[in-house]
Structures are given as C-alpha cells and as structure tokens.
Amino acid sequence: MSDKTVHCRNYNENPCSMCMPMGGILPFKGIGQSMVIIHGSQGCSTYMRRHIAEHFNEPIDVASSSLNEKGTIYGGEENLKKGLDNLIKAYRPRVIGVLTTCLAETIGEDIDRIVEEYRLERGLGQECSIIAVPTPGYGGTHFEGYWLALKELARLAGRVPKHSRINVIIPNLSPADIREIKRILGLMKIEYILLPDFSDTLDRPFERPYKKIPGGGTELSDIMAMGGSRATIQMGMTVDERLSPGKYLEKEFGVPLYNIPVPMGIEGTDTFLGLLSRISGHPAPEELSRERGRLLDCMIDSHKYNFRGRSVIFGEPELVGAMAATCIENGIFPVVLATGSKTEKLSRLLQPWLEEHHIKCLFLTETDFFTIREQAVRGKANIAIGHSDGRYLTEREGIPLVRAGFPIHDRVGGQRLLSVGYAGTAMFLDRITNTLLENKYSNYRSSMYRKFYRGDEKDAVPAGKSR
Amino acid sequence: MSAQPEKNSGLVFEERKDFILTKGKHRQQLKCEADSLAGCVSQRACVYCGARVVLNPITDAVHLVHGPIGCASYTWDIRGSLSSGPELYRFSFSTDLKEGDIIFGGEKKLARAIDELVGKYHPGLVLVYSTCIVGVIGDDLEAVCRAASERHGIEVLPVQSSGFIGNKSAGYRAACDALLRIIRPPEGKGPPGTKKINYLGDFNLAGEVWIIKGYLKQMGVDMNVSFTGDSRYETLQRAAGASLNIVQCAGSMIYLANKLEELYGIPYLNVSFLGLEDTAQSLRKIASWFGDGGITARAEELIERESARAGKRLSWYRERLQGKKAAVYVGGGFKAISLIKQFRELGIDVVMIGTQTGRKEEYETISEMVDEGTVVLDDANPSELEKFMLEKGAHLLVGGVKERPLAYKLGVAFIDHNHDRKHPLSGFVGAVNFAGEVYSTLCSPVWKYVGGGIL
Ligand code: SF4
Ligand code: SF4
C-alpha cells in the first residue's frame, strides 16, 4: 500500500469534488420545514441548485443574498437581512440555514453577528431558528461542508432529561439508503433520532397539491433532544473530529459515541446490527438473518466474476471507504482509491483490509480526475465505481463506470440507488458484477480471435465485427 | 398593455409587481434588466457562467478558471457543445485557490498554472476566467496574462467575469470583449464580392452550426467563422474577412456584431433558425442581402424542398397538439420570441412567458406577440412559476434543468431548451425535432395516472 497526495501542480484538471456550501445544503434539506440561503453572489447558489436538482430530480429551492458590487464593497449585511425577510415571507420555514460562500468570507462577513442582530431587530422568537454555518468554498470540499452543517445543527441540542432513544447520524447517502436504514432500525425495534433525513424531502412522491417545502425531515424538537439520548451511532469514520456532531454530543452532553462505517458489505452491516443489538438488548430478527444469507448466496454466485475486477473507487471519503471494503470482501480489489477531500483517515481505515489480502492500492487525496485517470490506467483498473464525473474514465479509457454516490447527473435514479444493508449490498454487487460481465461478453469473441486465430479461411472476419 | 394588479394579487413579493404583467388592452412597460431581489430564489446564473457559455465552444483553447474549485467543478463539460476535432475545451482547469491564496493573492499560482498547462498542451490560446473572489482579492489578471503571453509567444487572454458585477448578460459581454481581442484586422481588403459570412450566437450544442453551414453552402454562401460553436483559435482570428455577420442568439452576440461593424465595417443581420417560419425567412433575408439571383434561386429551392418535407410531419404533430397551453421560462428574450412562433406553428398557445435576462425591446416584442391574458414576467422565482403555470392551466413548461423537477411535480410536461439537450432544435430538421419533443412529453401515457389514487 502506498499513500500519495498529488498536488505538486498549480492547477486542478477535472475536479473530483465540489465546494463546501454545496455540501452544507444537503443536511438542511433533511430537516423538517427548512430552507437555506447562500450568502454570496447569485451564481453560486444557482449552480448548486442545478447540481442537486439533477441528481435528485426534485425542485431544489435555495435562496441567495444576491450580493452585487455595492454589497461586496460596503458589506452584504443589508442584502442578507433583506434576503432572510423575503425567504421567510415566501416559504415560512421553521429552520433556516445561512451558508456563506468564498465571496462572503473574503469580504469578511460575520454571519453570526448579522444573524443575531437580525433576530433581535425582527423580534424573531421560537417560530424560526436560524443557523449560520461559515462555508467558504475554498475552505474544503462538499464533504466537509456537509459535516460542518451537521455539527452546527447538532449544536441545537439542549440539556434535556435522559431518554431511551439513540441518535443515528448519517453521511450523504441516497434517499433509498436512508429508507433502508430506517427499515432496519424499525426491525431492530430501536427508537431513534435520525440526522439528517432527506429520504422524503429529496425523493418525494408525486402528490397534489404541490408543497413549496416538502414534508418529512428531522424534526427540530428531535434535534433538541439529541443531548439526552442513550447513545450516538455515527457513520463517519473519515470525519475530522472538529467536524463531528457525534463527538460534540459526547463532549457536551456525555452521550456515548459509536463511530462506525456505512453499513455496506457483510462486515459493515454486521457491525451496525451487532451494535444495535448490544445497545437495545434485542437480537437481530429472522428476517435480517435471511437477508444476510441471501447476500452470502449472491456473493458466492458471483465470486469468480468479481475476482476479475480491478476497481478504481472515488468520491466522498466515507462512501469510498465503505464501497472499498465491500469490494475487497468480494475480491474486486481496488487499485486506486481517490477523493477530492483532504483526509488521512481513509487510508488508515482500510489499511488492515489491504494488508490482510496483500493488496497494492494507491490512495489519492485532494486529487482530480486527471490523476485518477493516470493512476487507474497504470493500475490496469477494469471497473470504476463512483459518481457521474467518472464517465470521463469510460470515455477516455474505456473503463466502465458503476454509478454510485453523488452527484449522478447523467443517468436517472441516483436517489433510488440502494446500496446499504444486506439487501442493498446485494443490489450494489449485482450492478458491479453485471458491468464486469457485460464488458466480458462484449469483448471475448474478438479478443479470443485476436489472440488465437491463425487460420487462413478466406472469409474469416473477427467475430463481433459486423459482417 | 396593462398591469392588472387585481389578477396578480397573491404575489409573494410586492417588490416584484412591476416585473410581471398580464397582457390587456392598454400598453404598459414591464420592468427588467435589474438586480435580482435578495432571498427570492432567482433562477439566474452569474457573469462567469455567461462568459463560459459563450467561450467554451472554442475547442482548442485551454479554459482556465482562476478561482476556488467550486466554480470550475460546476461547469465541467456541462454543455453538449460539439467539436469536429479538438477536445481540449471539454476539460475543466482551475487554479483551485485555497485559503492561503486568498490571503496572499493568487497571481503567482496563476502564472505557474499557465506555464504548466502551456507546457503540457501547447495551446495557441489560453482563456483565463476571473471569478468573484478574484475581483475582490485584486489579482491583476491583465498583467499576469500579458506576461504569460510574452513568455510563451501565444495568446493568453483574461475574461473579466467576476460574478457579482452583473448577471449572465454581463458575462456575454465579457466574452465578446475577449473575442474582439482574438480577431485580427483583415489583411488588406478582401476580394470584393466575397460570399463569406460569420455566424454569431450558435454554440453547436447538437450540431446546429453544421446544419446551418450546410444550408448556406447549398445556397452558395460560405461560412467563414461561427461564434463560437465548433470554433478554433485560428479561424476566429480570421473573422474580419467576412462580408456579413448573421446573428442568431442576439442576447449574447449583438454586442460583438455591433463592434465588428464599428471596427471593420461588417454589417449584420438578425436571424433565427428556430421554427419553419423563422428559418425560411432568415434564409431569404441572407439571400436578398447578397442580391444575387443565383443565391436567391437556390435558397428558394432549398426552402421549398425542406419546408414541404418538414411541413408534412409538422401537420401530423399539429393535429395532436392543437389547443394545448404552454408556459415558457428561458434565459434570453431572443429565444422566448422564437418559441412563441414555434408554438404557434404547432397550434399551441403561450399563456405564460418569461426570461432571466431579457431586454426591454425584447419584452416589447413579446408583449405585442402574445394573446391577451398571457402573463409576462422577468427574473421569475419558483413560487411565481408555480403560481402562474397553475393559474393559467399550462400543460407544458419550456425551461432549463432547474425548472424541470418543478414542472414534473406539478404534473406538467416539460421541454429542455437549454444546454443539456442532445438533439438539434435549429433549422427545418430542428423544427421537426422540437415538435417531436413536445409530442413526446405532452402525449405520454403517464399523465393519465397523475390525477388519481389507488382506489
Ligand atoms: S463565485 Fe462568482 S463566478 Fe463563481 S459561481 Fe459564484 S457567482 Fe459565479
Ligand atoms: S467555490 Fe466558492 S465561489 Fe465557487 S461556487 Fe463554491 S462558494 Fe461559490
């Protein structure tokens, strides 16, 4: 195994990450009756809305303080306050996230102060909570933005009497994954507070009349109760402690923290269920055991095909970690693991896995697709797993892409992709195995011909080529 | 035309009243070309976006975004602009400014980035886009680019597209300023009577430039340079050698057309290749400008042949689409005007129409064209789109990616008239494609089910 941070260049060629405020929007979309306003110029919020809308196929209303030249020179306070007025008027949200951009941070906007002042000036009481999160785009990727926003949300928790629920804090998963986690928690008879929960808000059913703010999401009152929970389960092995909401709840309120990987694969899901059973005292029900058995069956059925896979996996560190572990369990050994974020935790997390199987794998952090492509080719990767921007690997190098994570903007159904739990893992694996098979079937005739055919039949044409 | 406040009551934002009107008997001005209202979820994009959209189709240039990573990340290969050769324009280069660069300035990093990219790709042209914070931290793009230009003996041009100095239109202008610096003065006077024209304002999203080039060729006219669909640095330099400019997307290119007239005496014609009527009319306009009998005859022949072919298919669609109602919300006024005509060709009424950055004259034209009762609005937000689509009973919305989910959630059909489509909407073939797309979304069986429940 080797670690590599490639950034000796002075430019980024084909980015593998987005910026911080974009990541900050997502958790807020998973809070009941909430809205976000981006403090900065109009363009940033429009871009982010488009990106999120393409993935989820949902209307993504995000306001902007629409800073103009004047605001940039003399301070954007007025714009932000006016923006908040208008946002409240149009949407009547219960929670508002105020996220900053590069521009607002560069001109030195103190959003905490502005928000505080705004509350006083407008006499805003309990009816609406405003949460300011400083997210300069240059300060980190969307991964850090996501977790920072979550941590700021967790700070709403108060000192409340102890209760029997547990906190479950999740990374940027698909709505289908979130629903699966809720189903498992239900089967395990766990009472929980899930943060965030955009399983309904970003994948809402068609219904009439149209609601400006979709129903669903974590209730504010539940967030406030997080300080009294029995425990926190946080799927955030790669999250920096300074950004960790679970750590915050532990330090502030003494809620014990169990930091675990995303429940994917046999080991990942076992860990999750084992933990739930220890906390609750209930064993996993028969239904889940059967699902586990089915996953094993699926793994055995596909193991020979999968063992031919050499994967390049990229995206947000938390998901890369979980997908890599799942791939390793199945012999789809990774040759490159890459993320646009800065993290050492990913390689540390996977080290034991790699050592156990003697896998040579390159870690790329703060990287771009130019480097990923170069290294994937060097490592002879034959399957790519990650978000849509990896299509570049298919187009340039013919490495087929299994779409996973965020954003998926060139295919439909990113919000419906199920990959967690035993059942979800089986679906995730099938997508990979089938991609490997498709590649194999579309190539083997011509490749055998090229390798072995030495005959002199006059009408011999490579099979697979049109005759 | 008159604003009818009683009809538009229930607007969420009082301040937006003047930007919306319902066509009535008396004339009245619609307010437009103003800053967006803070906090109300404008659908507008930024200056950089406008500039990038116009310049990105230059296929052999290095497009380097000077700024933090996000701005570049959101624009990587997002447009389907097609190339007949080079692919460099499909890569996203960014100086990826970090905290330290913001504090100490990004000029040195930019200079090094240019050096490295030139060393690696050997382009003739590097375009350096400025983003919002570059305007604030005060990097001197002009100076860095000039120095790099001298160092490498190639063209390195700054695009002054700091996002907060205006909206997308300002970006179009910044792009045109950069283009003007590429164009070389003509060497001597071109041969008199040359039949070369430049085609402005088509980005070859799905081969449109090639379609129009084909039409012109059949008429006996050569396309000199297209701005900027499938263009290259070298050909752009020769733009001043044309005898006429035709301008398709006026919003983005009218400024360039005016400048080319002023600097090199090249006149221009406004054209539109959207819809049968406009396409035929535009080809005639071009032919008659040349005043050449041969060209006119060939144009007529082409129009007759293609119109007949397309017309037959369009009337099939018209029978099925007649009487439906459309809502339109697009980037510029030019496109909006064309869409009204195109829908008319299909027997569809436009009941709501708006743009992000339409200009005063365009809104006047729009207001004259639409029927009484149609709502016209500038820089709309989702609440307004929802309100008027429902109020006016629109069956269909034309818009961009951000509007699509809203339409679908309202149970309304949708047409993408933006950068992501993969089929041409220009010329005779485009008119048929457009009708086909309208048909595929309006007449899909899925709508049958949106009204009811399980039982
Ligand atoms: S920072 Fe400026 S240039 Fe970049 S996306 Fe935002 S508005 Fe556009
Ligand atoms: S990187 Fe900064 S300036 Fe660019 S889109 Fe993100 S927040 Fe806006």
Side-chain angles (χ1 to χ4, degrees):
Chain A
M1 192 194 84
S2 54
D3 250 291
K4 197 171 166 194
T5 301
V6 181
H7 222 78
C8 40
R9 271 183 283 132
N10 283 288
Y11 62 91
N12 174 304
E13 177 170 336
N14 301 335
C16 182
S17 53
M18 288 150 285
C19 62
M20 230 173 151
M22 144 86 245
I25 294 171
L26 294 170
F28 279 101
K29 287 289 165 192
I31 308 301
Q33 297 301 306
S34 92
M35 277 295 288
V36 174
I37 182 165
I38 305 268
H39 188 31
S41 32
Q42 176 65 49
C44 306
S45 94
T46 300
Y47 274 138
M48 294 170 204
R49 288 178 60 205
R50 201 207 57 212
H51 241 65
I52 304 174
E54 278 187 326
H55 176 86
F56 292 99
N57 256 295
E58 291 286 329
I60 305 294
D61 289 6
V62 173
S64 162
S65 60
S66 304
L67 270 189
N68 51 19
E69 196 159 16
K70 213 168 117 228
T72 306
I73 297 168
Y74 302 107
E77 196 168 327
E78 276 318 300
N79 277 65
L80 181 54
K81 288 180 177 169
K82 184 118 198 300
L84 283 166
D85 281 345
N86 283 329
L87 184 64
I88 292 172
K89 217 192 297 176
Y91 291 86
R92 311 226 157 272
R94 288 223 49 213
V95 178
I96 300 176
V98 178
L99 307 177
T100 55
T101 59
C102 298
L103 184 61
E105 292 290 335
T106 306
I107 61 174
E109 295 284 278
D110 181 351
I111 46 167
D112 279 328
R113 180 189 57 81
I114 299 175
V115 165
E116 200 37 54
E117 250 180 56
Y118 178 82
R119 296 196 67 92
L120 291 175
E121 280 168 23
R122 303 292 192 272
L124 220 56
Q126 286 299 306
E127 71 276 14
C128 181
S129 304
I130 307 181
I131 298 140
V133 191
T135 47
Y138 52 72
T141 68
H142 62 297
F143 178 70
E144 287 84 24
Y146 180 96
W147 285 97
L148 181 60
L150 270 189
K151 183 182 166 189
E152 294 302 319
L153 278 162
R155 287 161 79 114
L156 293 174
R159 220 162 275 288
V160 293
K162 291 271 171 229
H163 54 80
S164 62
R165 290 190 282 175
I166 61 170
N167 304 324
V168 180
I169 301 175
I170 56 172
N172 181 13
L173 299 172
S174 79
D177 284 337
I178 300 177
R179 282 194 290 272
E180 179 66 2
I181 287 171
K182 285 160 77 172
R183 185 185 71 98
I184 292 173
L185 290 166
L187 285 170
M188 295 295 291
K189 302 203 170 50
I190 301 272
E191 287 184 274
Y192 59 88
I193 299 170
L194 183 63
L195 180 72
D197 179 4
F198 45 79
S199 60
D200 284 320
T201 50
L202 292 183
D203 189 14
R204 53 174 133 168
F206 182 86
E207 61 191 355
R208 281 179 162 147
Y210 173 74
K211 294 196 202 99
K212 276 196 207 335
I213 300 184
T218 312
E219 288 300 324
L220 197 58
S221 53
D222 286 340
I223 301 178
M224 289 169 171
M226 286 177 97
S229 295
R230 274 170 64 191
T232 298
I233 297 181
Q234 174 172 285
M235 299 167 189
M237 298 297 286
T238 60
V239 180
D240 193 286
E241 300 222 325
R242 282 165 300 175
L243 303 178
S244 162
K247 196 84 211 162
Y248 167 81
L249 293 170
E250 186 177 59
K251 265 203 200 137
E252 201 68 14
F253 306 104
V255 184
L257 169 66
Y258 300 93
N259 216 1
I260 60 165
V262 176
M264 274 182 83
I266 290 284
E267 291 198 30
T269 312
D270 282 354
T271 304
F272 180 47
L273 290 179
L275 183 58
L276 291 179
S277 182
R278 245 188 301 141
I279 295 175
S280 68
H282 309 298
E286 175 65 12
E287 191 173 340
L288 287 170
S289 304
R290 295 186 66 78
E291 286 174 19
R292 187 176 193 275
R294 246 177 239 124
L295 171 60
L296 281 173
D297 204 46
C298 151
M299 290 165 67
I300 296 166
D301 288 346
S302 304
H303 76 278
K304 280 203 274 182
Y305 311 125
N306 286 340
F307 206 48
R308 299 278 165 154
R310 299 170 66 82
S311 53
V312 42
I313 305 173
F314 50 86
E316 292 162 34
E318 198 58 36
L319 203 58
V320 169
M323 294 193 296
T326 307
C327 281
I328 294 172
E329 281 181 354
N330 288 279
I332 312 160
F333 292 157
V335 292
V336 177
L337 294 172
T339 176
S341 305
K342 186 176 180 174
T343 173
E344 283 139 33
K345 293 196 166 188
L346 180 62
S347 59
R348 243 183 281 147
L349 173 71
L350 290 168
Q351 192 145 12
W353 294 77
L354 299 172
E355 277 168 9
E356 185 188 339
H357 299 282
H358 311 290
I359 301 169
K360 272 213 207 79
C361 169
L362 186 67
F363 279 92
L364 300 171
T365 57
E366 283 188 278
T367 193
D368 59 13
F369 271 103
F370 171 78
T371 314
I372 297 175
R373 171 184 172 186
E374 199 176 55
Q375 297 305 328
V377 170
R378 180 175 303 175
K380 297 199 178 62
N382 61 4
I383 188 156
I385 304 166
H387 55 85
S388 276
D389 288 335
R391 65 186 163 166
Y392 161 83
L393 300 172
T394 315
E395 196 187 304
R396 305 279 155 179
E397 304 295 346
I399 304 171
L401 172 67
V402 175
R403 284 166 179 76
F406 175 91
I408 295 175
H409 49 64
D410 62 343
R411 293 288 187 276
V412 296
Q415 73 275 45
R416 290 184 289 269
L417 281 182
L418 179 58
S419 317
V420 303
Y422 301 122
T425 300
M427 297 177 78
F428 172 75
L429 272 181
D430 283 350
R431 291 194 288 269
I432 294 178
T433 313
N434 285 333
T435 307
L436 288 168
L437 284 175
E438 188 176 328
N439 213 28
K440 177 180 172 146
Y441 284 123
S442 56
N443 288 322
Y444 86 97
R445 286 173 193 274
S446 53
S447 102
M448 293 304 118
Y449 177 90
R450 256 183 282 112
K451 264 194 196 142
F452 303 120
Y453 183 76
R454 296 290 177 270
D456 47 10
E457 302 292 332
K458 264 219 289 319
D459 56 353
V461 184
K465 291 257 141 43
S466 62
R467 282 163 199 261
Chain B
M1 88 180 258
S2 76
Q4 299 180 333
E6 72 282 1
K7 267 216 151 170
N8 292 349
S9 63
L11 268 189
V12 185
F13 307 110
E14 256 312 283
E15 299 94 320
R16 294 262 320 137
K17 209 177 67 209
D18 297 340
F19 295 87
I20 302 170
L21 36 97
T22 307
K23 181 164 173 180
K25 297 205 177 51
H26 313 283
R27 291 183 63 85
Q28 215 217 315
Q29 274 298 340
L30 177 79
K31 208 166 153 193
C32 59
E33 295 178 89
D35 281 344
S36 295
L37 189 57
C40 76
V41 194
S42 160
Q43 312 285 84
R44 277 180 181 169
C46 62
V47 185
Y48 158 67
C49 175
R52 184 73 195 246
V53 156
V54 169
L55 295 173
N56 198 57
I58 305 176
T59 57
D60 57 355
V62 159
H63 298 265
L64 173 61
V65 184
H66 186 39
I69 195 68
C71 315
S73 190
Y74 302 127
T75 45
W76 178 19
D77 202 18
I78 50 160
R79 300 203 103 201
S81 177
L82 302 183
S83 167
S84 56
E87 291 263 289
L88 199 49
Y89 72 117
R90 294 189 53 206
F91 287 6
S92 173
F93 301 109
S94 161
T95 48
D96 192 1
L97 295 182
K98 296 278 163 73
E99 196 131 19
D101 306 314
I102 306 296
I103 299 167
F104 300 111
E107 290 182 11
K108 288 214 179 78
K109 191 170 187 189
L110 173 60
R112 286 195 298 261
I114 297 172
D115 291 349
E116 288 166 16
L117 284 165
V118 171
K120 184 166 162 196
Y121 290 106
H122 313 292
L125 171 66
V126 178
L127 291 165
V128 180
Y129 299 81
S130 134
T131 56
C132 289
I133 52 165
V134 171
V136 177
I137 61 180
D139 280 1
D140 187 347
L141 240 59
E142 192 70 52
V144 175
C145 290
R146 200 182 320 117
S149 211
E150 278 160 22
R151 234 177 4 259
H152 300 290
I154 61 163
E155 192 120 53
V156 182
L157 289 177
V159 182
Q160 301 296 354
S161 51
S162 253
F164 58 84
I165 47 167
N167 56 32
K168 216 166 159 182
S169 321
Y172 294 153
R173 198 173 159 131
C176 289
D177 281 330
L179 287 169
L180 281 165
R181 292 170 70 168
I182 296 176
I183 299 166
R184 302 274 171 270
E187 287 161 18
K189 263 272 150 242
T194 147
K195 305 254 172 2
K196 278 190 180 165
I197 66 181
N198 295 327
Y199 180 31
L200 278 61
D202 190 324
F203 307 113
N204 204 34
L205 299 184
E208 288 89 345
V209 166
W210 300 334
I211 293 171
I212 303 309
K213 196 172 184 173
Y215 291 161
L216 293 175
K217 196 167 186 124
Q218 289 177 58
M219 289 163 52
V221 177
D222 282 331
M223 193 185 282
N224 183 45
V225 179
S226 67
F227 286 91
T228 52
D230 190 25
S231 65
R232 301 182 195 185
Y233 174 55
E234 247 217 274
T235 44
L236 287 172
Q237 290 179 24
R238 295 198 300 262
S243 48
L244 175 69
N245 287 329
I246 55 172
V247 188
Q248 156 96 15
C249 177
S252 62
M253 285 286 173
I254 204 77
Y255 171 69
L256 182 67
N258 277 318
K259 280 284 180 188
L260 289 175
E261 179 156 36
E262 187 184 310
L263 292 170
Y264 307 116
I266 310 173
Y268 70 85
L269 297 175
N270 279 312
V271 296
S272 156
F273 294 109
L274 296 174
L276 283 196
E277 187 190 316
D278 275 10
T279 303
Q281 202 182 24
S282 298
L283 294 176
R284 286 198 178 104
K285 209 163 160 186
I286 296 165
S288 89
W289 186 85
F290 282 105
D292 174 320
I295 294 180
T296 304
R298 287 188 293 270
E300 287 305 329
E301 195 188 312
L302 167 78
I303 292 167
E304 201 186 310
R305 186 181 66 240
E306 295 287 332
S307 304
R309 192 159 12 141
K312 226 183 284 160
R313 302 183 55 188
L314 285 183
S315 57
W316 187 90
Y317 286 120
R318 188 168 34 237
E319 265 170 46
R320 284 149 184 89
L321 299 173
Q322 192 100 35
K324 298 280 190 194
K325 295 179 196 161
V328 173
Y329 189 71
V330 288
F334 159 82
K335 212 187 261 172
I337 293 168
S338 282
L339 280 164
I340 300 175
K341 292 192 215 164
Q342 267 186 289
F343 277 123
R344 203 164 277 165
E345 286 176 9
L346 294 172
I348 293 175
D349 282 334
V350 173
V351 292
M352 182 210 95
I353 185 157
T355 79
Q356 289 168 24
T357 55
R359 291 166 304 144
K360 202 168 130 258
E361 315 82 73
E362 292 169 332
Y363 276 116
E364 275 165 16
T365 315
I366 291 173
S367 303
E368 269 161 37
M369 289 172 73
V370 295
D371 295 332
E372 242 171 65
T374 295
V375 173
V376 184
L377 73 182
D378 179 65
D379 188 21
N381 53 60
S383 310
E384 289 162 4
L385 293 177
E386 177 201 341
K387 174 180 156 66
F388 292 116
M389 269 197 281
L390 293 180
E391 246 174 55
K392 292 285 156 188
H395 301 109
L396 167 80
L397 173 71
V398 184
V401 184
K402 293 182 305 296
E403 288 85 52
R404 182 181 59 208
L406 176 63
Y408 287 169
K409 292 289 173 198
L410 294 173
V412 167
F414 180 80
I415 296 264
D416 184 0
H417 211 285
N418 224 314
H419 318 323
D420 303 284
R421 64 197 155 80
K422 300 280 177 268
H423 53 262
L425 294 180
S426 284
F428 300 101
V429 25
V432 176
N433 281 344
F434 179 75
E437 201 187 335
V438 172
Y439 176 70
S440 71
T441 182
L442 268 177
C443 300
S444 162
V446 300
W447 303 120
K448 179 178 156 194
Y449 303 98
V450 302
I454 296 174
L455 280 174

